[in-house]
Structure formats: structure tokens, C-alpha cells
Amino acid sequence: MPQQPSAQVTAAEISRIAGVTRATVSNWRRRYDDFPEPSGGTESSPLYDLEAVRAWLASRGHASAASPSEELRTTLRLNPPKTDGGATADLLLLVLAAARRTPDQLTAAARLPDADLAVRAERDAAGVADAVPGGGGVRFAGVDAAVLRALYVCVRDEGGQATLGVLAERELEDSAASGAYRTPPPLADLLARLLPGAPARVLDPACGSGALLEAAARRGAAELYGQDVLPVQARRSAVSLLLTAPPGTTVSVRAADSLRADAFPDLAADAVLCNPPFGDRDWGYDELAYDPRWAYGVPARAESELAWVQHSLAHLTPGGHAVLLLPPATAGRASGRRVRAELVRSGALRAVVALPVGASVPFHIGLQIWILQRPEPGGAERKSVLFVDTAESSASDAKTDTRTGPRTRGGSRSASLDWARITDQALGSWHAFAADPDAFEDEPGVARAVDVVDLLDETVDLTPTRLVRASRSDVDPAKLAAEADATRRNLVKAAKSLGRAAGYDDWDAAGGAAREWRTATAADLARGGALTLLRTTPEGSRGRGDDDGAGKGGRGAGADAGHPVFTGSDISRGSGPTGDPATVRTDTAPVIAAGDVLVRAVASGGGAMSLVAGEAEAGALLGPHVHLFRPDPARLDAWFLAGFLGAEDNIAGASTGSTVLNVSPGRLRVPLLPLEEQRRYGEAFRRVHELRAEAQRATRLAEETARLLSGGLTGGQLLPSSRETAADATAVRGSGGGGDSPH
């Protein structure tokens, strides 16, 4: 019987399997005569025999560097789904079933012979088919065994959510679906927290991957309803919610177009959360012209967003709230003027919050949050609408984080924003306004309550930036001058500190060639006891051990919910802990200790990728999107470890994904050096960190000083000094401007 040919892999896949960069693979091809020859592809994009590559890597200790999620991703490419289009849907079901098994059961399943494994997986997936839209008719065969085995291992080692991400990414690529993006976690959390009270029944009519409904579940919602036009997103959302929602939560997700084929026509929800598609001209304008949902006016063909607004309001109980993420054009486009006017006039629109650029896709524009409330019959008259501008107050931080230093490939800007400040401003202003709109006091440049009468002009422009900045004339000149002077003095101090940090020059050239050294992966170091690798468990999810199987134990026991939470954004900004305890399982979250090395789990934006915990971080809970490395001080210097773990090339080689790059901690590599030499490197890395931190602080203060001075001058609170300086007088006299002109 002829032997089955081995699968072929690209150089990029070899780099991921080995846990090295593409450049390293290129070097191997040039330096080693025994490196496998290309077995296919083209000269510019060669393909290599997978088994030959694995054998070559095994001889050099690189055979097991790939993470389980990367193994699953590669296996899916090498074993494409069946052409009937149902294979990935069946695999999504299998994730849900596998997540309900113990690690030992998953290990036993992965060791079954191919035919038995297919039967076992088919039975597991069929057992949960009723919970997922379109989940019937599950079929697996022996040829699927490689994918099934990789899936069970990925669920066992990295959890259901990581496995879901790989499967959804694969099907979205295969179906050429566009515009499908996950709402960033801090933004999803903010949208959910803007809902007043504790709504029990929450709907998301464009649920995507389920991020908003997950945020609602963390806030106590007991009934979750979702709908999405993409079947893969609906299935992913259903599985994700069933994995993360507390026991007893009702989860109902359907796959269909919400505007054209509402799956919940009789549902009256307490709240609606939605991040609808933007700029869709084919939303059903012609066939839905007489739809009863258009209580505030028929949306124009170019106003699909206002159709989603009214669809959301139609699903609310009287007094219920809807929070939607919308593009800025919705607030001012001429074609939507009449609908906007009616939303304002009726009191349905309660607030509009402007977000900074980079908060979510599309990253190049500043999106807006609309907060709406279905009017109650006989309810109180609503005389004003709240407008909040978080964009300007976060501008300096956003510029610092995304423009200083090289930007890591492929990541989003959302993780680099000051979400703590954005959230505090939005929630603080909205809660104060919702409690008593008539008593709300404007915060110049940040928040302003505008009378309905003033909004109902010929344009009905609801852009927060325009309306909030109009209130700057109310700023007290003396107060602004004092604030600008205090910020300027802090800037002068920061500039001196930066100068001292920049004075470090204690390094030498390596000579004629760059130094080379032997390295080990973090997973190998963890297995050898040199460090412990930890990561927190998101609130609502089930922990399944540490990433890459590198570290076991060490989690905090019974951590207090009052502890601050340290996040990945805190590393990039160089701030103290700013995270929300609601985003982690406080009973299992590790407690950070001084000397721990913290590494961001998402490779995006600028700023530092790693940090050694000090007194400011000690005692905080490890938040989402952070890996914790706890080194044995007798074997590893903490700053040495942080410097190499956070290196740009190291992060790039250990990152997986397309839109969002997730760092696989076990694949990060560390040089094997004597402890004394490690300490010399560690001191150098500590100085570099100090330089970066001082530069960030000085940049933020410079931006803030410039903003205050510019705003004061243009707003009339500050005036250019009329005092003539000695230098000015000398310059005037030197130019012939002094004294009488001769006749």
C-alpha cells in the first residue's frame, strides 16, 4: 500500500512550531546543510514536508515549542474541514462538550485510536447540540482524528475560550466574512456598566462573538438573548456564553438577520446592548419601509445605525435602557436629522459619550456610545441630554502609548488607552445625570447637559465634542491659570528626572559580531523549577491550568474582591493597578508579589511589554491579559528575565493570531547565563525601564500642559503677557526699532 504523503508547512508555520522568529528559520536554511529541502510551493514561498521538519526540530530540542492553540491552528490548515460546511460548526459544539470534561477525561480521549476517537467526539458533540443554533446532525470520521485530538488537548491546556477563538478565526477566513470583530473587553465592560440598575433580561441583536452579553452576565443578567447574521458567530457566541455564564443563566442565541428576520419578535427586554454593523446600505430599507419599529421615523437608506437604534428601543420594556456603540457620523449626518430630532424630542435619547480614537474597530475614528431609554407612558418630561467627551482627556495618553517606540505587529490600539480614566469619566457623569438631570453640574471640557430646545435646531447635531467644548467659557480663569502653572511645574521636575535617566551610558559594543547564546523556553524553565508561570482566570470561566502547561499552582486562595487588579494596560502605561475586580475570579486570581515579572498577554500598542513588580504592584490581583512569571531568585534575576521576555523579537516569535496577537508565555525564550552575569544585564534593563517610565511621564505632562495653555488662550481664560522681557527689548533696539526715526 503506498505511503500517505506528509502534509506541507510554510516557513512561518515552522517558526511557530519551533517557537522562534521567521529570521531564525531563514538562518537555519542557510547555515545547516541537513535542513529539509523544500518539497513544494514556489521559490519565494517554499513548502516543507511536515514530518521531515518535525524530525529535524526534534534533533535540536524544538519539537514541542508550539502552544496547543497553535497546534490546533496548524492542524486545521493541514486537515481542511469537509466541503459540506458543517465541520467547524460540529467542532464548536465539541468545544462545549469537551469543556465539561475533566483534564483526565480529555487526555484519555486524545489517546484513543482514530476510529474510536471519532465515535467519542461525535457522541460528545451530539449531547450538547440542542444548546447551539444549527447544531444538529453532528458527523465525524476517522480522517478527522488529528483535528479532534488537537482540539481536546487545546481545551484541556488552554480552555474553551482559546479554542473557540481558533475555530472562529478559521471559519471566518474560509467564508470570506468581513466586518466581524470582537468588542475589546474594557469597552464591553463599560457598555454593560452604563446600564442602570441590574437588568435581568438582556438582548444583543448583533451579538457577534458574545462579548457584550458576557459583560452583562458578569453584571448579574440572568437571561441572555443574542442574534447574529453570521452562523459561525451565533454558534461561537452561544458556546462562549454557555462556558462563561454562571450556572442557571438562560442562554438563547439565534442565527439570522435581526432587522429582516427578528428571532425574538415578542421579547420585551430590560436592557439592550449592541455594537451593530456600520455603514450597511443593504439593511432592508425597501422591504421594511412600513415596519412598526420605526416609531421615530423611517431611517434613510444611509442610516442603518438609526434602524438598529429603533430596533433596540422596540425590544425594551417601558423605562428600559439600550446602550449602543455607533460611528460619529450617526450624530450629525444630514440624512438622519429627522429621526435624531424625534429621539431627542421624545426623551428617548438620554446621553452620547465620545470615545477616543482607537477604542474599537474601526480604529482610525472616535466612536460614540448612545444611551437610550424607552419612554414610559405618563413618565416625567426629559428636558436635557447629557454629552460626555472622553476623547480629549485621553488624547495625550493615546498619543504616548501608540506613537512612542515601535508598534508591535498586528495589535489593536484599544489595549493602550487609559480605560480606567475613560470609564471613570463616562460612568461618573452618566450616574450623576441619571440620578437628577436638573441638578447636574457641567464639567467644562468633559461633560455638559444640553437643553432639548437648544438641540432641536436645523441640523440636530449631537456630536459631543462640539457641544461639550462650547462650555469652556464657563471655566474660571484663575482656576485654569493655577492648574496650568501646577502642571507646568510638574513638567519641569519630570524633565529633570528624564535627563538624569538619560545619562545612563554604561554599556560597551559587543565587538565585530553580535553576541550569541544558548536559550531555553519559559516552559522548559518552569518544568525545571527555575520559575512558576501563572495567569488569572476571567470571571465566569472555568480554569484549566496554566498556559502551555508550564506552571501549576501558586494561585491566590480566597482573594479579597477589594484588592486592586493589575492589567496589561497598566504595564504599557507604567501606571499602578487600575483594573476592575469584576473582570477576574477573585477566589482564584494570583496575588502579585514584589519581584514577580509581569508580561502583557496581548502584543499591541506601544509602551513596555514587561515589568518587575515593585511595592506599587505587590498585593494586587493579577488581572486579565497579563502573564505572571515568578522566578527563583537563586537561579534567575528578575530584571534580567523581564528584559529578555519583553524583547520585541521574542514577543513576535511567541505571538499567535491575526487581528489580535496573543503571547504564548511558554514559548518565550531566555538566555542561559550565570547568575552574576544575569544581574549585570538586569541592572541595565532596570535603567532602560526607568528611562521609558520617565519619558512617558514627561510626555503626558507636556501634552497636558500644552492642552491647558492652548485651551485657555483660545477660550479667553488666559492672555499673553503684556510684560516686555529684557530679551524682547534688546531685540527691538537691535533691529532699529528703538528711539526716534531721523527726518
Side-chain angles (χ1 to χ4, degrees), residues 95 151 198 231 242 245 285 323 329 352 358 428 442 483 491 586 679:
V95 173
L151 184 147
L242 289 167
Y285 172 79
V323 178
V352 181
D442 296 348
E483 184 180 0
L491 172 60
T586 54
R679 288 171 177 156

Side-chain angles (χ1 to χ4, degrees), residues 77-91:
R77 190 193 73 79
L78 300 177
N79 300 270
K82 294 175 295 217
T83 56
D84 61 9
T88 306
D90 294 348
L91 292 175

Side-chain angles (χ1 to χ4, degrees), residues 524-525 528-531 631-637 640 673-675 678:
D524 290 335
L525 293 174
L531 59 81
D632 177 355
R635 299 172 64 181
L636 285 172
D637 179 82
F640 161 81
L673 299 178
L675 185 59
Q678 288 183 37

Side-chain angles (χ1 to χ4, degrees), residues 9-11 22 29 38-48:
V9 291
T10 64
R22 286 283 302 276
R29 293 170 56 190
S39 58
T42 64
E43 185 174 347
S44 59
S45 300
L47 295 174
Y48 301 86

Side-chain angles (χ1 to χ4, degrees), residues 223-393:
E223 297 181 37
L224 307 174
Y225 298 88
Q227 185 170 349
D228 198 89
V229 68
L230 294 176
V232 63
Q233 291 288 71
R235 295 173 194 136
R236 178 187 183 184
S237 179
V239 174
S240 180
L241 291 171
L242 289 167
L243 286 174
T244 59
T249 303
T250 298
V251 175
S252 182
V253 182
R254 300 290 181 266
D257 185 333
S258 289
L259 296 182
R260 287 187 172 94
D262 189 355
F264 308 102
D266 301 322
L267 175 65
D270 300 321
V272 173
L273 290 171
C274 190
N275 179 1
F278 303 158
D280 181 12
R281 298 181 68 87
D282 185 28
W283 58 269
Y285 172 79
D286 294 324
E287 61 263 45
L288 299 175
Y290 301 101
D291 196 285
R293 287 172 292 183
W294 315 146
Y296 303 90
V298 179
R301 189 183 300 276
E303 297 292 343
S304 63
E305 296 84 7
L306 292 177
W308 287 101
V309 165
Q310 296 192 72
H311 175 80
S312 299
L313 284 168
H315 267 294
L316 290 171
T317 58
H321 286 77
V323 178
L324 284 83
L325 184 67
L326 301 173
T330 309
R333 203 158 37 204
S335 56
R337 179 181 64 83
R338 293 183 179 179
V339 175
R340 290 197 303 272
E342 193 55 36
L343 289 169
V344 171
R345 186 180 292 110
S346 66
L349 182 64
R350 301 301 313 280
V352 181
V353 179
L355 296 171
V357 170
S360 185
V361 175
F363 292 116
H364 64 284
I365 62 174
L367 300 175
Q368 297 175 358
I369 301 171
W370 283 34
I371 305 175
L372 303 111
Q373 184 177 18
R374 182 165 181 170
E376 300 175 87
E381 180 184 6
R382 292 164 186 163
K383 303 176 182 178
S384 60
V385 178
L386 174 68
F387 294 89
V388 183
D389 185 9
T390 69
E392 181 181 358
S393 61

Side-chain angles (χ1 to χ4, degrees), residues 6-26 28-29 35-54 56-57 66 70 73-75 77-78 170 667:
S6 173
Q8 295 179 314
V9 291
T10 64
E13 286 167 333
I14 295 174
S15 71
R16 290 193 290 266
I17 292 171
V20 298
T21 65
R22 286 283 302 276
T24 300
V25 175
S26 297
W28 286 345
R29 293 170 56 190
F35 189 85
E37 291 292 329
S39 58
T42 64
E43 185 174 347
S44 59
S45 300
L47 295 174
Y48 301 86
D49 182 88
L50 175 60
E51 293 308 319
V53 169
R54 287 190 185 278
W56 190 88
L57 291 173
E70 189 54 47
R73 185 176 287 107
T74 301
T75 306
R77 190 193 73 79
L78 300 177
R170 173 71 186 183
R667 296 175 58 192

